[in-house]
Every structure is written in C-alpha cells, then in structure tokens.
Amino acid sequence: MQAQSLESTLAKVPAITLGFWLVKIASTTLGETAGDAASMSLHLGYLTATGLFAAVFAALVLAQIRASGFRPALYWSTIVATTTVGTTLADFADRSLGIGYAGGSSLLLALLAGSLLLWRRSTGSIAVGSVHGGKAEVFYWVTIMLSQTLGTALGDWTADTAGLGYQGGALLFGSALAALALLYWRSAVSRTALFWAAFILTRPLGAVLGDFLDKPVASGGLELSRFGASAALIACMVLALRLMPQRAAATAH
C-alpha cells in the first residue's frame, strides 16, 4: 500500500536535473544523425522516413501512457523518437514542400504555441509535475514532438540561411541556454516557462551539433559516418543514465 501511495505522488516523467539536460542534448543530437541516416544514407526520403519514425513514436507514446510509472529507458526512447520524426518532418516541410526554413519555423511555432495553450486550458497546468493521466501525457508528447520539429527548422535556418554555420549556431543556442540558466538561478521568472524555453532551445543546439558531425567538410562539418555518430551518441546516453540515475518528478498539486 505504501509503495502504491508513493507511486501515485510521482509523475511519469523525470525530475529536471543536470543529468536530464545532458541526456536531452545527446538525444536531440542523436535525432539529427539518426534521422539523416534514414532519410539520406538509406535513401528512404523524408516522407517515408517520417512515416516510419511516426509509427515508432506513436507505439512508444502508447507504451508510455500504459506504463505504471516513470521508466527511464522507455521515456528516453520516446524522446529519441520525437527527435527523429522531428528531423525528417522538418526537412520534408522545409525542403520537399518548398516553404523554406522561415515558413516552416513560423508554422511550427504557431502549432507549438497552440498545443501549449490547449494543454493549459484543458488541464490547468503545463508544468512537468502535472504530467500524469492520459490527457496530460498526450498533450506532453504532442508538444514535445512539435518542439523537436521546430528546433530542427530553427537549427537549419540559423546554420544555413542566417549564415552562422554549425559552430556559430551551436554558440548562439548554447549562449541562449546559458542565459536561461542564469535566469533560473538569479530571477523569479516562471520555472515552467524557463523549462519549456530551454527544452525547445536544446533541439536546435542538437540539430546544429548533429549536422556538424555528419555533414561534408566542404559544408563546415566533420563528415563522420551517420551510423557511427548515432552509435556513439547512444553510448553516451546510456553512460550518462548509468552515472546519473534519474528519478521521477514529484507530482504537482
């Protein structure tokens, strides 16, 4: 009975710690290299790869909702699925549909804002601690998928259209995350707002880092194997989870 009572006071997502952010950045970088590996290296194309990753994402979200509590392996597998489908979906919108990075980013920003607004109106909170129960979980994962897709478009827009390159983009988004960390420690800004801002910004950081790893040297990348880079990032995630075990977030009341 006591174990069940403890389980009921915990959300099905991890507490926000340094380990969380390190694994999040690795997972978003993995999403870029793995998404490119499927759509480009395996020549599946953006649409087919998006359909494949979307099916995996849907299956993992269903498993996450059915889980009785926070399961680190399941949670981070679902996060990786959102980053891969976000990578290929953003590339499909930006390149295959021809709306460009600016158009894709604007559309995705509107969808993300709409998801957060509907979530807030429907459940009363978009805080991490409120993620328990099917409705909140569905909103949580849809919002994450949209944020990952937006992040891909923003990363590509910054590196390519804005001309900052992969290293310049990494510096820009890394600096923005550092500013958010400073606000967290030195201001009274809403912790929920800071969380979602940081969550969104880690995705374009991962996007430019992933492109830096696997894009051609002539384009400013290291031209590493997409499969090799993906395997190395998975190993880094597993190591981080072993060295910094994660716990479930406390449920907000």
Side-chain angles (χ1 to χ4, degrees):
M1 181 68 69
Q2 184 176 3
Q4 290 180 346
S5 177
L6 176 62
E7 185 79 12
S8 67
T9 65
L10 299 176
K12 291 165 65 175
V13 297
I16 309 306
T17 62
L18 175 61
F20 171 87
W21 291 116
L22 292 177
V23 178
K24 172 60 166 61
I25 292 171
S27 71
T28 59
T29 309
L30 171 60
E32 191 71 19
T33 57
D36 287 349
S39 62
M40 299 178 188
S41 298
L42 294 180
H43 306 293
L44 294 180
Y46 300 130
L47 186 58
T48 300
T50 296
L52 174 64
F53 290 131
V56 173
F57 167 60
L60 287 172
V61 167
L62 182 60
Q64 176 76 15
I65 291 174
R66 289 179 173 177
S68 59
F70 171 57
R71 304 290 182 266
L74 175 59
Y75 176 85
W76 286 109
S77 294
T78 312
I79 288 290
V80 170
T82 67
T83 66
T84 50
V85 73
T87 295
T88 56
L89 181 58
D91 287 343
F92 176 73
D94 296 340
R95 300 168 187 173
S96 298
L97 294 183
I99 62 177
Y101 298 131
S105 297
S106 299
L107 174 61
L108 289 163
L109 180 60
L111 291 173
L112 176 59
S115 178
L116 287 168
L117 180 61
L118 287 174
W119 180 5
R120 177 65 182 269
R121 287 187 173 179
S122 179
T123 66
S125 174
I126 57 174
V128 171
S130 71
V131 184
H132 53 90
K135 181 186 292 187
E137 288 184 81
V138 169
F139 274 116
Y140 177 81
W141 288 110
V142 169
T143 300
I144 283 181
M145 189 273 289
L146 289 172
S147 75
Q148 306 283 40
T149 310
L150 170 63
T152 301
L154 282 176
D156 289 342
W157 186 11
T158 302
D160 297 335
T161 306
L164 293 183
Y166 305 129
Q167 297 179 50
L171 179 61
L172 172 65
F173 294 118
S175 298
L177 287 168
L180 290 177
L182 187 62
L183 285 174
Y184 178 85
W185 292 110
R186 298 294 182 87
S187 77
V189 175
S190 166
R191 297 311 190 239
T192 298
L194 289 175
F195 167 79
W196 283 110
F199 197 97
I200 292 167
L201 285 174
T202 53
R203 181 61 185 112
L205 175 61
V208 293
L209 288 175
D211 283 339
F212 175 67
L213 292 175
D214 65 27
K215 288 299 187 285
V217 174
S219 300
L222 296 179
E223 204 167 355
L224 301 178
S225 163
R226 294 185 177 110
F227 297 103
S230 297
L233 288 164
I234 291 173
C236 288
M237 288 180 63
V238 171
L239 181 61
L241 289 171
R242 294 287 290 249
L243 295 177
M244 295 176 284
Q246 296 184 359
R247 65 185 188 278
T251 300
H253 296 286

